[in-house]
């Protein structure tokens, strides 16, 4: 054990290792009885590939933490599509379910969205993908999400997003059907629209077991889906058309996060009408709890529950962190899957008694997990976590609740510095970085993140704050941020930072804040309105509310500020008062600003405007803009530079000496 100052501990977790393990599996599904999913490839330009798990091989022996010590699942994984195929949708810019599949004559037929052209493509083993949908020269073109293969009709049904002009809000969204034979590949008129576009936003249709009804969600500006959605049901005609939709649940102040059908044709949905996203069947609550069985619909096709054969329902549920369980709708009893996972993503697939999910924990990255509901056994069947370094270097999170300035609860995960080979001299608390999550209607998951370990293993603590407005704690907690963005989030982050300092956990003189997107906003506002932090890292942020709330962002969030800040026409002064760009003169501490040049959600113009206001103020800072990166960094080389630059900033400001880190040049 070596005694070294905080921030100078040698660590095997370098930026390249953290970057290589960024991202996680998403959008699990079945093709026949095979499990497929999408998976990131940071070292391949940040693309996402489609992964197939073949079943034919004899399995290996699974270690006890991978399924109770029994035989591991037979089969192996293979990436189905080589580079440059990138299975990712841009609908509402955040995308959603980008693929679907079915077995045809014993062979898989898969339909997927390619990121480059946003067309639907048909893939069959042994042949190259071929397009099913046309391109459009208008605005952002034609985009697709939540495809569903309907072999009986020879079609793919899903959500079509069609731009009608050059502006980001010149767009319509409808449910549509595309021929599987490729006849619409060059012919827009061959795309059959199923709805009339009366709603600004729609999710993909869920078809009842008898094929006679379709259900989907819809909402309109200025609402976000976590504010209020409508659950629509329409009859499906023999000719494949939809009858007039009728609203059966939801409204302006009721958020329905997901809809589906039970095996016997009853309507299942997750609604927050009681203050928490709980499950309902034909309007009746199935398991009323102060827990969430749903979440914010940032991407189309997220699934928190999946009906099973026999009437049971697989559920992702919890308060803060989430578990995978099986709900008996007749008794309201839930039996959770045993295993080490403390967090499950909102992606589920069911086939017979098998449930596929994606789980993670503070000791393991996201893995594809299979739950056999007959035996209750859960095991890893894909993307299995393998320790790239000795897990003794992983941080040990503390789940804590702090008290805010008005006596309110503030939830947080605290990651103290941790290194098995080092200890700091006594009497000096460590530096800490407060991480503000994006969204802001989101939360920080309790999972292994090597970007966090990159700092904690070197002697820098991290505090992830689920500030007021975060999801996972009920609607009242979420609503704390209504018209208070830039106030409540900033106060809550500061309260956690100062509480850590007051109790001696953190060094009051060496506190920093960092965040991306909405978290970048919180970081920037914190640096311009408080004296809590000695420096900060701001990633692809919102910095100018007036610009962002008019024409500088995409359609999905173009009216988001009406609930977060207030209607611009009614409170224009509030937009200026809270914007960091209007208060650049108040920023006196060093900062790092990081931006993707292809970002259409938080565009580079926001950063450039802010930096222009900082000109001549002689505040040490660095601005790094990345070509080819959008909202959220995906390329390994980008993430390496981000982490090393961030660490160098803290080293210079806090007087640390991390070995082997390039020095970030700070301009004034």
């Amino acid at each position: 054990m070596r005694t070294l100052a905080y921030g100078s501990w040698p660590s095997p977790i370098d930026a390249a290792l953290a970057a290589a393990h960024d991202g996680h599996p998403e959008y699990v599904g079945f093709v026949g009885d095979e499990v497929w999913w999408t998976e990131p490839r940071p070292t391949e330009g940040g693309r996402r590939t489609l992964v197939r798990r073949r079943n034919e091989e004899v399995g290996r022996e699974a270690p006890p933490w991978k399924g109770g010590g029994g035989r591991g699942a037979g089969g192996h994984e293979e990436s189905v599509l080589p580079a440059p195929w990138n299975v990712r949708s841009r609908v509402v810019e955040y995308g959603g379910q980008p693929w679907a599949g079915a077995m045809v004559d014993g062979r898989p037929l898969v339909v997927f969205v390619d990121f480059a052209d946003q067309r639907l493509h048909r893939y069959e083993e042994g042949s190259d993908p071929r397009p099913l949908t046309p391109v459009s020269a208008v605005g952002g073109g034609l985009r697709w999400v939540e495809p569903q293969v309907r072999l009986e009709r020879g079609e793919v049904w899903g959500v079509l997003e069609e731009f009608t002009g050059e502006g980001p809000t010149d767009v319509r969204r409808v449910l549509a059907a595309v021929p599987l034979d490729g006849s619409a590949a060059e012919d827009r008129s061959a795309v059959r629209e199923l709805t009339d576009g009366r709603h600004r936003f729609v999710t993909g249709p869920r078809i009842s077991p008898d094929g006679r009804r379709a259900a989907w969600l819809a909402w309109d500006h200025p609402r976000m889906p976590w504010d209020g959605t409508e659950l629509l049901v329409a009859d499906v005609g023999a000719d494949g058309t939809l009858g007039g939709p009728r609203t059966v649940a939801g409204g302006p102040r009721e958020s329905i996060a997901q809809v589906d059908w039970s095996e016997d044709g009853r309507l299942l949905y997750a609604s927050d009408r009681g203050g928490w996203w709980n499950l309902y069947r034909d309007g009746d609550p199935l398991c009323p709890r102060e827990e969430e069985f749903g979440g914010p619909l940032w991407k189309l096709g997220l699934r928190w529950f999946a009906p099973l054969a026999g009437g049971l329902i697989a559920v992702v549920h919890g308060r803060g962190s989430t578990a995978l369980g099986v709900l008996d709708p007749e008794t309201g009893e839930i039996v959770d899957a045993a295993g080490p996972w403390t967090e499950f993503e909102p992606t589920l697939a069911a086939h017979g008694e098998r449930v596929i999910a994606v789980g993670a924990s503070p000791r393991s990255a996201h893995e594809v997990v299979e739950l056999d509901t007959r035996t209750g056994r859960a095991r890893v069947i894909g993307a299995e976590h393998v320790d790239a370094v000795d897990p003794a270097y992983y941080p040990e999170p503390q789940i804590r609740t702090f008290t805010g300035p008005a006596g309110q609860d503030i939830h947080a995960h605290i990651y103290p510095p941790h290194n098995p080979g080092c200890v700091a001299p006594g009497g000096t608390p460590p530096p800490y970085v407060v991480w503000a999550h994006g969204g802001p209607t989101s939360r920080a998951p309790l999972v292994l993140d090597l970007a966090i370990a990159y700092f904690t293993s070197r002697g820098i603590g991290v505090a992830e704050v689920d500030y007021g407005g975060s999801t996972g704690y009920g609607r009242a907690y979420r609503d704390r941020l209504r018209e208070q963005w830039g106030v409540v989030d900033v106060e809550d982050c500061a309260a956690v930072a100062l509480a850590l300092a007051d109790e001696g956990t953190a060094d009051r003189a060496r506190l920093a804040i960092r965040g991306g997107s909405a978290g970048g906003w919180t970081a920037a506002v914190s640096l311009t309105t408080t004296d809590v932090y000695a420096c900060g890292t701001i990633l692809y942020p919102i910095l100018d509310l007036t610009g962002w709330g008019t024409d500088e962002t995409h359609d999905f969030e173009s009216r988001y500020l009406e609930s977060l800040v207030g209607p611009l026409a009614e409170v224009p002064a509030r937009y200026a008062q809270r914007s960091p760009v209007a208060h650049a003169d108040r920023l006196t501490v060093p900062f790092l600003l990081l931006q993707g040049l292809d970002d259409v959600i938080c565009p580079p113009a926001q950063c450039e405007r802010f930096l222009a206001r900082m000109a001549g103020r002689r505040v040490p800072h660095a601005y790094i803009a990345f070509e080819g990166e959008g909202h959220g960094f995906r390329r390994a080389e980008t993430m390496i530079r981000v982490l090393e630059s961030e660490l160098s900033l803290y080293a210079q400001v806090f007087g640390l000496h991390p070995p082997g880190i390039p020095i970030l040049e700070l301009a004034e």
Side-chain angles (χ1 to χ4, degrees):
M1 183 69 67
R2 303 170 64 188
T3 300
L4 296 172
Y6 289 117
S8 63
W9 300 348
S11 170
I13 303 173
D14 60 16
L17 184 68
H21 289 80
D22 188 75
H24 58 77
E26 287 185 297
Y27 306 118
V28 296
F30 282 95
V31 180
D33 63 354
E34 284 188 350
V35 180
W36 294 49
W37 64 89
T38 67
E39 200 167 281
R41 294 289 185 264
T43 58
E44 298 178 19
R47 75 182 185 100
R48 295 194 71 88
T49 190
L50 195 57
V51 176
R52 172 186 186 182
R53 183 181 169 279
R54 291 185 179 269
N55 294 332
E56 70 273 12
E57 289 189 353
V58 177
R60 56 174 173 73
E61 192 73 17
W65 61 90
K66 302 297 183 188
R71 172 67 61 182
H76 72 280
E77 304 167 34
E78 63 180 43
S79 179
V80 175
L81 300 168
W85 293 107
N86 187 355
V87 184
R88 180 179 158 210
S89 170
R90 283 190 62 182
V91 169
V92 302
E93 294 300 344
Y94 292 110
Q97 177 76 36
W99 74 276
M103 295 299 289
V104 178
D105 297 328
R107 293 163 60 88
L109 181 155
V110 172
V111 174
F112 69 94
V113 180
D114 182 59
F115 184 75
D117 59 15
Q118 288 299 292
R119 303 167 83 181
L120 282 174
H121 295 259
R122 172 174 175 157
Y123 167 77
E124 293 168 276
E125 191 174 13
S127 60
D128 293 332
R130 55 190 179 94
L132 296 179
T133 57
V135 296
S136 170
V138 179
L142 298 178
R143 301 174 178 180
W144 301 86
V145 74
E146 285 199 82
Q148 300 170 37
V149 177
R150 304 205 63 195
L151 294 176
E152 77 282 4
R153 294 205 53 82
E155 292 180 325
V156 182
W157 286 24
V159 176
L160 163 62
E161 179 179 81
E162 181 173 25
F163 281 79
T164 58
E166 297 301 322
T169 60
D170 297 331
V171 65
R172 60 191 294 269
R173 299 175 186 89
V174 296
L175 303 184
V178 177
L180 269 170
D181 62 8
S183 59
E186 306 297 336
D187 183 5
R188 170 65 179 84
S189 65
V191 174
R192 189 167 64 89
E193 296 191 8
L194 301 170
T195 57
D196 58 8
R198 73 180 64 180
H199 290 288
R200 189 74 166 192
F201 303 95
V202 292
T203 64
R206 305 298 299 180
I207 309 302
S208 61
D210 62 8
R212 298 173 61 182
R213 290 174 293 168
W216 67 96
L217 306 179
W219 68 98
D220 294 285
H221 284 318
R223 283 179 280 153
M224 299 300 287
W226 42 86
D227 296 325
T229 56
E230 295 178 27
L231 170 50
L232 304 178
V233 175
D235 294 330
V236 180
D239 59 353
T241 60
L242 296 183
R246 53 195 182 275
T247 300
V248 299
R253 290 288 295 165
E254 179 184 357
S255 170
I256 298 176
Q258 184 194 334
V259 62
D260 212 323
W261 301 91
S262 65
E263 187 181 47
D264 58 359
R266 288 191 278 182
L267 200 60
L268 302 171
Y269 57 90
S271 167
D272 73 348
R273 66 180 59 159
W276 298 79
W277 275 301
N278 279 190
L279 279 184
Y280 293 79
R281 183 175 61 189
D282 286 343
D284 297 323
L286 292 181
C287 182
R289 295 187 181 188
E290 289 191 347
E291 290 185 11
E292 306 284 31
F293 291 75
L297 202 61
W298 281 103
K299 301 177 180 181
L300 303 187
L302 299 181
R303 301 192 75 191
W304 291 267
F305 68 88
L308 301 171
L312 300 178
I313 306 170
V315 293
V316 170
H317 70 104
R319 184 169 183 157
S321 58
T322 53
L324 172 64
V326 176
L327 166 67
D328 184 338
E330 305 307 324
T331 65
E333 179 185 3
I334 298 177
V335 178
D336 286 335
W341 310 285
T342 58
E343 191 80 41
F344 281 88
E345 292 295 309
T347 178
L348 287 176
H351 180 63
E353 287 85 15
R354 297 167 64 197
V355 177
I356 305 300
V358 174
S361 79
R363 307 297 293 177
S364 60
H366 292 84
E367 306 172 300
V368 179
V369 177
E370 180 184 71
L371 171 63
D372 186 332
T373 60
R374 295 168 300 181
T375 64
R377 182 186 181 201
R379 59 185 180 181
V380 175
I381 64 165
E384 181 176 355
H385 171 77
V386 176
D387 291 317
V389 297
D390 186 340
Y393 286 91
Y394 296 162
E396 297 286 350
Q398 303 169 359
I399 304 173
R400 297 189 56 181
T401 301
F402 295 84
T403 301
Q408 75 277 18
D409 286 345
I410 307 169
H411 303 286
H413 303 150
I414 307 303
Y415 295 85
H418 175 73
N419 185 306
C422 295
V423 66
T428 303
Y432 257 81
V433 183
V434 171
W435 282 32
H437 64 69
T441 310
S442 186
R443 65 181 177 87
L446 187 64
V447 301
L448 175 62
D449 185 341
L450 290 186
I452 292 177
Y454 177 78
F455 294 103
T456 57
S457 61
R458 286 170 169 76
I460 300 172
V462 171
E464 288 187 307
V465 180
D466 277 345
Y467 47 79
S470 300
T471 55
Y473 308 97
R475 180 144 191 161
Y477 195 84
R478 205 162 78 235
D479 282 349
R480 281 183 49 206
L481 208 58
R482 291 189 71 85
E483 298 197 5
Q484 295 298 310
W485 195 38
V487 179
V488 166
D489 50 324
V490 172
E491 290 178 347
D492 286 2
C493 286
V496 171
L498 293 175
L500 293 174
D502 288 345
E503 69 186 26
T505 298
D507 186 342
R508 175 65 183 85
R510 295 190 294 175
L511 297 173
I513 187 167
R514 71 100 76 177
S517 189
W521 154 270
T522 300
V525 176
S526 297
L527 294 177
T528 55
T529 61
T530 78
D531 62 355
V532 174
Y533 309 101
C535 62
T537 300
I538 306 166
L539 301 96
Y540 36 91
I542 301 164
L543 298 170
D544 179 1
L545 292 178
T546 302
W548 198 81
T550 51
D551 60 358
E552 285 188 351
T553 193
H554 61 144
D555 184 61
F556 179 59
E557 294 180 88
S558 61
R559 304 282 296 276
Y560 194 9
L561 297 184
E562 293 191 26
S563 60
L564 290 176
V565 181
L568 178 59
E570 298 176 17
V571 290
R574 188 182 296 168
Y575 278 60
Q577 178 187 14
R578 293 189 190 171
S579 293
V581 73
H583 304 295
D585 59 316
R586 300 179 184 174
L587 203 164
T588 59
V589 299
F591 66 93
L592 171 61
L593 188 57
L594 302 157
Q595 177 67 46
L597 291 177
D598 293 345
D599 194 338
V600 298
I601 298 173
C602 295
Q606 295 258 318
C607 291
E608 293 160 4
R609 196 173 306 135
F610 181 75
L611 291 171
R613 299 286 182 91
M614 291 294 302
R617 297 212 51 253
R618 301 188 66 79
V619 175
H621 69 277
Y623 175 53
I624 308 176
F626 298 97
E627 292 186 2
E629 292 282 12
H631 195 68
F633 302 141
R634 296 175 178 271
R635 298 179 176 180
E637 60 269 26
T638 300
M639 292 181 279
I640 291 170
R641 191 172 182 196
V642 166
L643 285 174
E644 291 181 343
S645 298
E646 186 176 352
L647 179 57
S648 180
L649 171 71
Y650 304 148
Q652 294 180 57
V653 175
F654 295 155
L656 313 177
H657 303 283
I661 303 301
I663 296 176
L664 173 69
E665 184 177 345
L666 298 175
E668 292 186 352

